[in-house]
Amino acid sequence: RPPAGKNQQLLVVGDSLAFGWGLPRTVDRFGEQLVEQLNKRAGADWTSLNASRGDTHTLTHMEFLKSMQGLRPDVTLLLYAFNDIDYLAQVTPRDGQSEQAKSVLTRISPARLLFKNSFLFQDIYVRFKLMTYRSSPEDTDPYENDALLEAHFRDLDRFISLASARSAIVAIV
């Protein structure tokens, strides 16, 4: 329990999912929704802290965590996405709709507008792109590579160790 008068703090660290890209209101983000449920069900006063930015990965998340640890959150959650391994092997295509538009026509193309405004379209688009990128033998799933997974798990373990130094509860969601 925190000292009297201090809210309990939930820190959510992550990428665009934690940031709430595409959501019209920040109260709809994962952390804010979780805090709302904790306030209703736990009888405590929780505050949501958010350390996130779109198109980031595990190493960046550790930097976000370090910058927030002075606040001493009670709970730290890493909102994990499967492209968080991008720093070891590219999972997210870096060409196409997510990149800076090079012309006015590109900026207003229907595919780009859908990509920028629809999580469903983004998911379908990225899955389709991944299928086409993985057509050659060297394009393998990094989650099937034991050496990459071992390195990635070591980094996730470092995240947990760092977070555990200041938070009572640490989890990867």
Side-chain angles (χ1 to χ4, degrees):
R1 278 223 152 250
K6 180 187 181 279
N7 290 354
Q8 290 186 303
Q9 296 177 328
L10 166 72
L11 171 61
V12 177
V13 180
D15 62 3
S16 59
L17 296 174
F19 184 77
W21 250 356
L23 295 176
R25 303 172 322 150
T26 57
V27 296
D28 293 330
R29 295 189 301 193
F30 175 81
E32 283 75 1
Q33 289 294 304
L34 182 55
V35 161
E36 182 180 327
Q37 292 303 312
L38 287 168
N39 285 335
K40 284 180 186 174
R41 297 172 188 217
D45 195 13
W46 284 85
T47 301
S48 178
L49 305 171
N50 189 294
S52 61
R53 188 176 69 231
D55 201 25
T56 55
H57 52 69
T58 301
L59 298 181
T60 314
H61 302 157
M62 279 192 267
E63 295 305 314
F64 293 164
L65 173 65
K66 289 175 188 175
S67 72
M68 298 293 283
Q69 284 192 306
L71 298 173
R72 295 188 174 274
D74 301 285
V75 176
T76 297
L77 297 179
L78 172 63
L79 192 53
Y80 187 85
F82 285 103
N83 66 351
D84 288 351
I85 199 170
D86 254 4
Y87 65 102
L88 293 171
Q90 186 174 344
V91 174
T92 305
R94 299 290 179 226
D95 61 345
Q97 305 306 327
S98 62
E99 297 303 308
Q100 183 70 25
K102 296 186 182 6
S103 71
V104 173
L105 288 178
T106 305
R107 190 175 304 136
I108 62 171
S109 78
R112 182 178 178 78
L113 292 172
L114 281 168
F115 186 88
K116 292 287 190 182
N117 295 292
S118 167
F119 278 127
L120 176 61
F121 186 83
Q122 288 175 16
D123 187 52
I124 293 167
Y125 179 89
V126 169
R127 287 176 192 272
F128 178 75
K129 287 298 233 178
L130 285 173
M131 287 189 309
T132 62
Y133 284 130
R134 296 212 173 106
S135 59
S136 64
E138 66 272 2
D139 293 332
T140 58
D141 184 345
Y143 287 95
E144 293 177 1
N145 182 316
D146 290 340
L148 289 178
L149 269 181
E150 186 177 327
H152 188 51
F153 287 150
R154 272 194 311 270
D155 292 334
L156 289 170
D157 189 51
R158 278 185 27 228
F159 180 94
I160 291 170
S161 294
L162 283 168
S164 295
R166 300 290 175 115
S167 293
I169 299 172
V170 178
I172 297 175
V173 179

